[in-house]
C-alpha cells in the first residue's frame, strides 16, 4: 500500500485505529505505563506455606530496598540484601543471592532450603519520592534555611 500527499497522515491514523492525529500528539492522551508501587513491607514476616507463597515472598524480597533475614531449614540465618535471584521450574532449581550485611560475602540460598523470611532492614528508599523532596524543599525555604536551590547535590 502506498501513500501520497495530505492523505498520508489520515491513512496512517486509520491504520493505527485513530480518526485524527491529535490524540497521538497530545501527551495527556498518550499511553502511560504505571510506575512501580512499593509496598510498605518493612517488618513483614510472610507465611511460606506453599511453593507459590515462597516464590511470591522471595520476588517481593528481591524488589525490596532493604535487608532481609532468611532462615534456612538447617537453622542458620542469612541477613543481607538480595541482589539477584533465579527462578527455575521448581524450588530446587531456584535460588537467591544475598550480599551479607556483616561482610562483602555473596551467599547463594536455594529456595527449597529456606524455611522463613523476614523483612528486617529499613527500606532505604522509603519517603524519598520526588513529591517528598519538593515538600521538604519548600518547608526549608519557608523557614528561611540558607542558600537553597533546585540544583542536584554533587555526586562526590
Amino acid at each position: 500500500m502506498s501513500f501520497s500527499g495530505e492523505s498520508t497522515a489520515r491513512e496512517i491514523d486509520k491504520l493505527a485505529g485513530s480518526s485524527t492525529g491529535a490524540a497521538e500528539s497530545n501527551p495527556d492522551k498518550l499511553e502511560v505505563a504505571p510506575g512501580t508501587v512499593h509496598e510498605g513491607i518493612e517488618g513483614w514476616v510472610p507465611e511460606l506455606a506453599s511453593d507459590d507463597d515462597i516464590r511470591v515472598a522471595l520476588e517481593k524480597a528481591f524488589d525490596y530496598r532493604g535487608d532481609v533475614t532468611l532462615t534456612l531449614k538447617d537453622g542458620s540465618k542469612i541477613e543481607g540484601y538480595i541482589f539477584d535471584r533465579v527462578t527455575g521450574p521448581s524450588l530446587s532449581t531456584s535460588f537467591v543471592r544475598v550480599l551479607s550485611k556483616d561482610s562483602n560475602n555473596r551467599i547463594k540460598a536455594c529456595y527449597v532450603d529456606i524455611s522463613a523470611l523476614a523483612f528486617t532492614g529499613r527500606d532505604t528508599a522509603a519517603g524519598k519520592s520526588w513529591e517528598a523532596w519538593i515538600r521538604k524543599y519548600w518547608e526549608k525555604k519557608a523557614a528561611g534555611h540558607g542558600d537553597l536551590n533546585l540544583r542536584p547535590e554533587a555526586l562526590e
Side-chain angles (χ1 to χ4, degrees):
M1 174 181 279
S2 66
F3 299 106
S4 63
E6 293 178 21
S7 66
T8 302
R10 284 192 300 272
E11 293 299 322
I12 292 172
D13 287 341
K14 285 180 186 176
L15 289 173
S18 171
S19 60
T20 69
E24 285 80 18
S25 62
N26 181 346
D28 293 331
K29 301 290 183 187
L30 293 173
E31 180 179 342
V32 177
T36 301
V37 175
H38 295 286
E39 302 174 66
I41 56 177
E42 186 175 318
W44 180 46
V45 180
E47 184 178 339
L48 305 179
S50 70
D51 289 3
D52 284 340
D53 291 343
I54 294 169
R55 288 181 183 280
V56 168
L58 287 168
E59 193 63 28
K60 288 180 189 255
F62 175 70
D63 290 337
Y64 188 59
R65 299 154 303 173
D67 287 345
V68 299
T69 301
L70 301 174
T71 303
L72 303 181
K73 291 181 178 173
D74 68 4
S76 63
K77 293 188 180 214
I78 301 170
E79 186 174 3
Y81 180 76
I82 295 179
F83 68 93
D84 187 20
R85 51 72 176 97
V86 172
T87 54
S90 68
L91 293 185
S92 60
T93 59
S94 303
F95 63 88
V96 291
R97 293 188 335 157
V98 181
L99 181 59
S100 177
K101 179 180 179 180
D102 300 325
S103 68
N104 284 331
N105 292 336
R106 289 166 171 76
I107 304 163
K108 184 176 172 180
C110 189
Y111 282 24
V112 76
D113 296 330
I114 299 170
S115 63
L117 166 67
F119 293 79
T120 52
R122 185 179 69 82
D123 183 346
T124 57
K128 293 187 179 179
S129 67
W130 171 250
E131 292 81 10
W133 186 89
I134 290 293
R135 184 182 67 252
K136 289 176 187 173
Y137 168 83
W138 286 112
E139 288 170 358
K140 288 179 181 178
K141 185 120 177 140
H145 286 237
D147 182 30
L148 295 175
N149 59 49
L150 290 175
R151 292 189 188 99
E153 296 175 2
L155 294 175
E156 300 175 309

